Amino acid sequence: MSYLLIGDIHSQGPPLAKALAYAKAKSLVPVFLGDLFDARCNNSNTLYVYNAVRVAQNEMGAIVLNSNHQVRLRNFLDADFESPSYTSETWRSLAEFQESGISMEELRTWLGGLPDGFSFRSKAGRLYGCSHAYFPVRWVDQEIKEGEARVYYASSPDDEETIVWGPHRHGRRRLHWWEDETPRSWTRCAGHYHIVYVSENNIVLDANSGYPDGKLPAYDINSQEVVYFD
């Protein structure tokens, strides 16, 4: 079994459809790194993305990871109005869900059950740890063998915040952890940061899908290449 790591989608249906077709053709299991919803351009396909991802879970064994934009949706559905501010694109996604007539309780339950991390060992023997913004070192499990995989859940709200928003320096500046290229035996994978960065140690997949002219990046674990979909 091998995987296709899929970056932030932000309610963009056409590139998602192409990414899933690629995964099927290559017999790869999709791993969605988060931020499925909240379009930042005029084109928004929130309901399509939701349904396509649910089908991919059922038919392809896709892994869907928690993320900051999904937490915003979940907080609203939990009536937690003390949570991080809602952006205009979050309100837009909520309206699309509400207008579709789908069960808000089903959506809330689904969002609340998403894991915060996913780890696997590739056919080449490399260990990968995936979260939306930051995979903690404590989750690195060298006992995972080829063909095995594990999911992880944050142990507290503060823990979840670090994992789905990323660690920060003083002054709330994001820590650019991918710039640390000290050799290690595993690869940390994320979306979230509006960049695409690929090395043996670090993979970041966020090419601004959901912005005008933004593309959806994915990383093919077998070929060790980034593929873009638009």
Side-chain angles (χ1 to χ4, degrees):
M1 181 181 297
S2 195
Y3 299 92
L4 181 70
L5 309 183
I6 300 176
D8 299 21
I9 296 167
H10 286 291
S11 294
Q12 301 305 290
L16 170 61
K18 294 175 184 177
L20 290 174
Y22 179 96
K24 288 180 180 179
K26 300 284 186 178
S27 298
L28 300 171
V29 175
V31 177
F32 296 101
L33 297 174
D35 281 4
L36 302 178
F37 313 120
D38 295 3
R40 291 159 171 174
C41 63
N42 290 331
N43 181 33
S44 182
N45 315 117
T46 294
L47 190 62
Y48 174 87
V49 170
Y50 174 70
N51 289 329
V53 168
R54 295 295 299 269
V55 169
Q57 284 181 295
N58 293 330
E59 297 183 355
M60 303 173 70
I63 303 297
V64 185
L65 297 180
N66 191 22
S67 72
N68 58 310
H69 282 263
Q70 286 149 219
V71 166
R72 283 172 168 162
L73 287 168
R74 189 187 76 209
N75 286 340
F76 179 88
L77 295 169
D78 285 341
D80 178 7
F81 300 109
E82 300 300 322
S83 56
S85 62
Y86 300 109
T87 60
S88 59
E89 57 262 27
T90 301
W91 287 114
R92 181 180 183 179
S93 290
L94 283 165
E96 289 180 78
F97 278 122
Q98 290 167 338
E99 292 166 5
S100 73
I102 71 166
S103 167
M104 292 294 101
E105 180 60 26
E106 178 182 331
L107 175 61
R108 187 194 68 79
T109 300
W110 180 74
L111 288 168
L114 298 179
D116 298 290
F118 178 68
S119 186
F120 64 91
R121 192 175 295 277
S122 72
K123 294 178 181 178
R126 184 75 176 179
L127 185 66
Y128 292 81
C130 307
S131 284
H132 178 61
Y134 191 74
F135 189 86
V137 173
R138 71 175 188 279
W139 282 350
V140 177
D141 187 350
Q142 297 290 354
E143 298 302 313
I144 295 176
K145 298 179 174 58
E146 179 189 331
E148 293 182 346
R150 297 181 187 173
V151 296
Y152 307 84
Y153 294 86
S155 58
S156 69
D158 287 343
D159 190 31
E160 180 186 65
E161 181 174 352
T162 298
I163 292 164
V164 304
W165 289 89
H168 290 79
R169 295 188 179 94
H170 295 296
R172 303 299 292 173
R173 293 180 59 193
R174 284 177 175 171
L175 179 66
H176 293 183
W177 50 261
W178 57 88
E179 295 176 353
D180 180 5
E181 286 293 356
T182 304
R184 49 181 154 83
S185 61
W186 62 285
T187 302
R188 178 179 277 129
C189 309
H192 187 59
Y193 294 98
H194 303 280
I195 65 165
V196 174
Y197 182 97
V198 176
S199 70
E200 185 177 40
N201 291 321
N202 305 302
I203 296 174
V204 183
L205 300 172
D206 183 5
N208 289 327
S209 180
Y211 285 97
D213 301 323
K215 295 184 179 181
L216 175 62
Y219 185 80
D220 184 328
I221 292 294
N222 280 349
S223 66
Q224 299 183 31
E225 295 177 335
V226 177
V227 187
Y228 290 91
F229 305 96
D230 55 19

